[in-house]
């Protein structure tokens, strides 16, 4: 997703503050951390999250995030969900661009031990598939290391 702040994908965690004012406030949903030993995904503040309602793809600039996430599966083999991908078109520049919402399916997989967190695993790959419309020049499926 060149031009939309692609980078390491991480979550917006409970209580996390965005560095960018560009992301719409509606995109920032807080997700409680379950106390179980479920596989987690790590947010922008390096906090563990399980079944989050939102997921920041571009942590550095906030120009790409998943919102309205609903999870149908969450276990060690993977997590599957659906929601909306909010993408800033960055036209004429990211600071004055507009966010567009696209329906997506989401998959987290490749669970690995989380270094420094004894007995805890985290997902290390995120795949986002556009289910209908998508941003110009974006592939149907994008994969990120998380």
């Amino acid at each position: 997703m060149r031009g939309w702040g692609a980078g390491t994908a991480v979550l917006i965690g409970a209580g996390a503050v965005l560095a960018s004012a560009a992301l719409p406030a509606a995109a920032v949903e807080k997700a409680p951390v379950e106390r179980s030993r479920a596989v987690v995904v790590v947010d922008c503040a390096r906090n563990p999250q399980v079944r989050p309602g939102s997921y920041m793809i571009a942590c550095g600039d906030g120009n790409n995030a998943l919102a309205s996430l609903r999870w149908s599966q969450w276990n060690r083999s993977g997590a599957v969900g659906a929601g909306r991908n909010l993408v800033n078109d960055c036209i004429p520049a990211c600071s004055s661009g507009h966010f567009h919402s696209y329906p997506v399916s989401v998959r987290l997989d490749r669970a690995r031990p989380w270094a420094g967190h004894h007995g805890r695993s985290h997902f290390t790959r995120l795949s986002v598939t556009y289910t209908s419309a998508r941003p110009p020049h974006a592939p149907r499926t994008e994969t990120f290391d998380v």
Side-chain angles (χ1 to χ4, degrees):
M1 285 187 57
R2 290 179 181 88
W4 294 312
T8 302
V10 288
L11 286 172
I12 303 169
V17 177
L18 294 174
S20 171
L23 187 68
V28 182
E29 297 178 24
K30 295 182 180 180
V33 176
E34 294 180 12
R35 302 283 182 221
S36 71
R37 285 290 169 189
V39 178
V40 301
V41 67
V42 181
D43 70 15
C44 292
R46 303 293 302 152
N47 295 315
Q49 299 292 322
V50 176
R51 295 181 181 263
S54 58
Y55 190 96
M56 179 63 67
I57 294 175
C59 233
D61 60 16
N63 285 317
N64 187 289
L66 300 172
S68 303
L69 292 172
R70 300 290 178 251
W71 300 95
S72 59
Q73 174 186 325
W74 193 285
N75 58 47
R76 181 154 180 79
S77 65
V80 176
R84 310 289 296 176
N85 192 3
L86 306 177
V87 181
N88 187 347
D89 61 20
C90 292
I91 297 173
C94 292
S95 61
S96 55
H98 297 89
F99 279 86
H100 302 273
S101 177
Y102 303 93
V104 293
S105 61
V106 178
R107 178 162 178 82
L108 290 163
D109 61 7
R110 264 188 359 200
R112 302 286 188 266
W114 188 14
H117 297 84
H118 181 70
R120 181 103 315 168
S121 294
H122 69 109
F123 292 116
T124 61
R125 182 171 55 191
L126 163 71
S127 298
V128 176
T129 300
Y130 294 95
T131 57
S132 61
R134 61 182 185 240
H137 310 295
R140 183 168 186 269
T141 299
E142 298 181 275
T143 302
F144 305 90
D145 289 329
V146 295

